[in-house]
Amino acid sequence: MTQPNHKDRAHALLSPSAADRWVACPPSARLSEQYPNESSPAAEDGTKAHELCEILLRRETYDSKDYTPEMIECAEAYAYYVTQELGLDTYHVEQRINIPGIPECFGTVDCYGVKGVTLYVIDYKYGQGVAVPAEHNKQMALYAYGLLKSAKLSTIADVQMTIFQPRTDELKTWTVDAVELQRWVEETIIPYGKMAYDGEGEQHIGDHCRWCPARVDCRAHLDLFPTLYETMQAEQATEAEKLSVLDRADEVIAYLTDLKQWATNQLLGGQPVSGWKLVEGRSVRTIPDYAALATRVASTGISEETLYERKPLGLTNLKKVIGAKLMTTLEEDGLIIKPEGKPTLVREEDPRKPLAIKEELLSHF
Ligand code: SF4
């Protein structure tokens, strides 16, 4: 058995997983080329979680010590979904797919299979911070397009694409006619892919900037500042002026956070940043080894028991101990509840329902 190795795979200039970004901002593809691929603990967890999924779907063995209980539980749920719920007898895992019509566009599909006249494409997402939608998901659409264009799949009538994201407790699918899907990809993705390959098009700021390696040096972000400044004409801002600044608030805050992180990284790496330096931040006293401390205190005659308190587990740790199934039962029985969230300001086009403002809330303002 060869252990899967996802982290050393070749990276495409136009990877389907970044299609949201290079479609919205085609120049970002060439700009990003100049930056190294940076990893993070969350990305490394994701890679490991995908490797385990591959092992399970290939029905190979693994050492449970190499994975967290949550990784194992999620991967088992994924394998169950593919083999039992979808009932795919034959499927392919971790296959490289070349996307015709766009140079240097390829990626690795987590799983696909065919049953009758339907092509199934499944994308596993281990992250839990951002729930990924299935509808019009460009990454899966490109994989499906690449597969449909390969001679072997000419009899397919429709495509079912699933985002399996177990840590968001939501399964999302998008089913679409195969001809319609190909037309959609050809009209809304491929022209931007070609533009991105040629380094053409306009920079455009949006949610897709979150993962852009070129963000700190991005001209479109820097241009936000004179634009905002120019909106202020008189000493007192009008409502329209305040709204025009509010309109860019998320982008400005995100950019400034990145910029500060960039300056910190430069200085940590020994590079000067004119006008800035690093100092030691505020620090609080801490106990590096509480067990050693407790033993020492107990030796003075104080009972060791008085040094510990019993505390309930947080939801994440509770789920690790009791498993997702019992968590769901406890929720159904009202032993785990989800209180109302704090009022949150979002843009009008956000898909969530607007908050019904209650009388008691109004009295606060
Ligand atoms: S950060 Fe700049 S270059 Fe990157 S996607 Fe956003 S607008 Fe485009």
Side-chain angles (χ1 to χ4, degrees):
M1 177 195 80
T2 325
Q3 195 66 15
N5 180 358
H6 294 191
K7 90 176 146 45
D8 294 333
R9 277 183 183 148
H11 289 280
L13 170 71
L14 295 163
S15 129
S17 62
D20 273 338
R21 172 162 56 74
W22 49 255
V23 167
C25 176
S28 66
R30 288 289 174 195
L31 289 171
S32 302
E33 258 188 316
Q34 302 155 32
Y35 300 83
N37 274 313
E38 275 178 9
S39 194
S40 65
E44 276 160 29
D45 266 6
T47 304
K48 252 184 123 174
H50 272 80
E51 286 172 356
L52 181 59
C53 287
E54 180 180 349
I55 292 171
L56 290 191
L57 282 185
R58 292 193 193 284
R59 299 191 169 90
E60 288 168 354
T61 53
Y62 64 94
D63 187 340
S64 60
K65 288 200 291 303
D66 294 340
Y67 304 93
T68 66
E70 193 177 20
M71 263 179 208
I72 295 171
E73 190 182 352
C74 291
E76 281 174 348
Y78 169 70
Y80 183 83
Y81 174 73
V82 172
T83 57
Q84 306 301 314
E85 290 182 38
L86 290 182
L88 298 179
D89 298 326
T90 313
Y91 50 78
H92 305 267
V93 288
E94 300 295 332
Q95 297 287 306
R96 175 172 155 152
I97 311 285
N98 292 315
I99 314 301
I102 311 177
E104 285 195 50
C105 184
F106 61 86
T108 306
V109 62
D110 291 337
C111 180
Y112 80 90
V114 174
K115 201 165 75 176
V117 292
T118 304
L119 165 66
Y120 293 84
V121 176
I122 306 110
D123 190 34
Y124 183 72
K125 300 279 183 212
Y126 189 62
Q128 58 184 343
V130 180
V132 181
E135 189 119 348
H136 294 112
N137 182 296
K138 295 185 183 69
Q139 180 182 6
M140 284 198 297
L142 282 168
Y143 292 146
Y145 182 80
L147 288 163
L148 288 169
K149 287 289 179 192
S150 72
K152 283 177 260 162
L153 294 181
S154 50
T155 55
I156 295 297
D158 48 36
V159 184
Q160 180 180 312
M161 287 161 279
T162 300
I163 294 288
F164 192 92
Q165 194 170 10
R167 297 203 294 168
T168 61
D169 287 338
E170 221 189 310
L171 183 74
K172 290 149 284 182
T173 58
W174 178 35
T175 305
V176 61
D177 177 85
V179 174
E180 203 180 300
L181 177 78
Q182 291 176 76
R183 193 181 316 127
W184 183 73
V185 170
E186 282 161 7
E187 286 173 3
T188 61
I189 306 182
I190 290 185
Y192 295 96
K194 288 180 180 158
M195 236 187 253
Y197 180 79
D198 292 334
E200 291 173 354
E202 288 195 7
Q203 282 181 318
H204 175 75
I205 298 176
D207 286 347
H208 52 270
C209 297
R210 183 196 300 246
W211 312 115
C212 180
R215 184 148 135 184
V216 167
D217 301 323
C218 167
R219 168 58 50 197
H221 275 90
L222 284 175
D223 283 349
L224 281 172
F225 295 89
T227 315
L228 292 178
Y229 180 72
E230 279 158 18
T231 61
M232 296 297 180
Q233 301 292 339
E235 278 178 11
Q236 198 169 25
T238 64
E239 177 149 340
E241 285 171 334
K242 282 190 289 184
L243 287 178
S244 78
V245 174
L246 183 64
D247 199 42
R248 312 314 301 255
D250 288 345
E251 293 145 7
V252 171
I253 292 168
Y255 180 69
L256 293 179
T257 307
D258 279 356
L259 197 59
K260 287 183 89 169
Q261 191 57 54
W262 165 81
T264 305
N265 291 347
Q266 289 288 106
L267 290 164
L268 283 173
Q271 299 293 320
V273 177
S274 180
W276 295 85
K277 64 181 176 184
L278 291 178
V279 294
E280 192 178 330
R282 210 170 65 83
S283 159
V284 288
R285 283 189 299 166
T286 180
I287 301 165
D289 183 348
Y290 198 83
L293 176 139
T295 309
R296 173 75 187 280
V297 173
S299 74
T300 69
I302 297 172
S303 158
E304 203 171 326
E305 270 178 25
T306 59
L307 302 175
Y308 291 93
E309 57 183 1
R310 255 177 68 164
K311 272 202 341 201
L313 293 178
L315 283 173
T316 310
N317 285 335
L318 183 66
K319 189 174 172 186
K320 279 184 196 158
V321 173
I322 68 173
K325 224 164 147 188
L326 185 50
M327 283 291 280
T328 310
T329 312
L330 295 174
E331 259 184 81
E332 285 162 2
D333 294 348
L335 289 163
I336 295 172
I337 56 159
K338 195 165 184 287
E340 277 179 13
K342 263 190 4 196
T344 303
L345 183 69
V346 295
R347 290 179 185 275
E348 217 158 32
E349 57 270 23
D350 187 285
R352 286 168 287 181
K353 268 200 315 214
L355 193 68
I357 307 292
K358 294 182 187 146
E359 284 297 315
E360 58 273 23
L361 209 58
L362 281 173
S363 62
H364 279 80
F365 299 98

